[in-house]
Amino acid sequence: MTRSAGPAPTAPLPSPKERRRLREAKELSEQQVAAAVGVTAATVRAWETGRASPRGRRRAAYTRLIGCAEPRATQSRSVEADGSSTMSTAGTGTLPAPDTLTADGPAPATPPPDEPAPATPPPDEPGPDPQPRGLTAEEAYDDLYGRTAPGLTRQVFLLTGHRELSREAVQHAFRIAWQRWPEVATDRDPAGWVRAASYEYAMSPWHRLRRSHRRTDPLPEDPARRALLDALLGLPPSYRRTLLLHDGVGLGLPETAAETEASTHAAAGRLLNARAAVAELLPAPADPADPGTGPAPLHGPLAALALSEEVPAPPAAPAVRAGGERVAELWTRAALCFGVLLIGATAFTLHTAPTHYEQPLAPAERVGGVPPPGGPEKLTPQDLKLQKALKGELAHGPERLVPRIP
């Protein structure tokens, strides 16, 4: 006989970037955490990159180890058939405050550029919950928008140099996210999904045709920040995006390569070249370079530049959702009108089309080699005189002989 009180609902853990920051604040390595929890270092790395999430006793041990233990912990005892009992704790946690550049937490201090990441989650670790239980789709969307929209607007401004375009790109990305919310809610990184959509819209070359976007907004008055923004905007788009994702947002090199749709070696080359190009134009690097790793990272300068610039405040989440629904409704009506027009044109064509086949006439052709048609020639003066004489003789000559029939 088995008697169980049922597991208590588990609260969401901090974001993957916040987990890594807490672990580094405790001065713990991945191997130490893995040994304490009872998993491999690859599993811990998957927890900190968002590819997996701890469950059960490993979750409780992991939260206590990194220092984010749940305050309202409850225990439930399950009595098994063989008389053994297990203890489980569950409670509610709080989300970290959004960072200036990152979407759901502060960026790590210095992510190792050559750190490999597992391609797929470990088989014994299930993925994170796509949507917290007890929240409606509107509430989950509003929570994601409130945590990611302000920082994402600053990111797009550093990427393009246009304030209005940054707000427009973030609104466009969140409108698409609301229209495809089932897909976004089940994604392992909804903030990354929205970030990629906003980056793609902001970096579209079609914006160059707009008169208001042919030139960037006025640069900062501070010489150092002006030089940094000018150097950043002077990079190729792929280099600029790679530098912003790695040094600004704080993604690892494999995640940066995946989001930019490039190989890890190509992303590393772009990152080093971008750092070198920016370092040549800056008066002095703010972050010291690590020995043997090339130019210095730009975590501090990018964060200071984003904080110093004023960007348009994003509108409220309900307004963005309403705008997305309105745009979807307009596209639906346009598609229906086009379908009705196409059906009407097809019906008119079928009604007015001929019912039998008429062979077309061959076009006329010019025939060559035939002589021009002949005719009487023009009479000469002698011919006219002779003609007149003959007519006179016939009129006054002897009578014509008429044969007689015997």
Side-chain angles (χ1 to χ4, degrees), residues 27 56 112 136 139 146 155 161 171 177 184 197 210 282 306 314 364 372 403:
E27 298 182 356
T136 61
E139 294 175 350
Q155 295 177 32
Q171 292 183 17
V184 178
R210 303 168 62 177
L282 292 182

Side-chain angles (χ1 to χ4, degrees), residues 165-250:
L165 179 59
S166 62
R167 182 176 63 178
E168 181 182 345
V170 173
Q171 292 183 17
H172 176 78
F174 273 99
R175 286 173 184 172
I176 297 179
W178 177 244
Q179 296 173 6
R180 304 169 61 179
W181 182 245
E183 176 186 349
V184 178
T186 55
D187 193 84
R188 289 191 175 274
D189 187 12
W193 194 99
V194 178
R195 179 179 61 243
S198 61
Y199 280 16
E200 291 294 337
Y201 179 84
M203 301 184 67
S204 174
W206 292 104
H207 294 303
R208 301 176 184 175
L209 303 178
R210 303 168 62 177
R211 179 176 300 178
S212 58
H213 294 81
R214 292 179 182 177
R215 296 182 180 179
T216 59
D217 293 352
L219 297 177
E221 297 180 358
D222 183 68
R225 294 170 182 170
R226 176 191 294 267
L228 176 59
L229 184 58
D230 193 14
L232 189 63
L233 297 178
L235 295 174
S238 59
Y239 286 25
R240 193 188 320 158
R241 185 174 182 178
T242 302
L243 180 63
L244 181 62
L245 288 175
H246 190 276
D247 287 356
V249 180

Side-chain angles (χ1 to χ4, degrees), residues 364-392:
E365 297 181 359
R366 182 181 298 274
V367 180
V370 180
E377 299 179 0
K378 187 176 180 180
L379 298 178
T380 62
Q382 295 81 2
D383 295 336
L384 292 175
K385 186 177 181 181
L386 179 61
Q387 183 182 18
K388 184 178 181 181
L390 291 175
K391 286 181 179 180

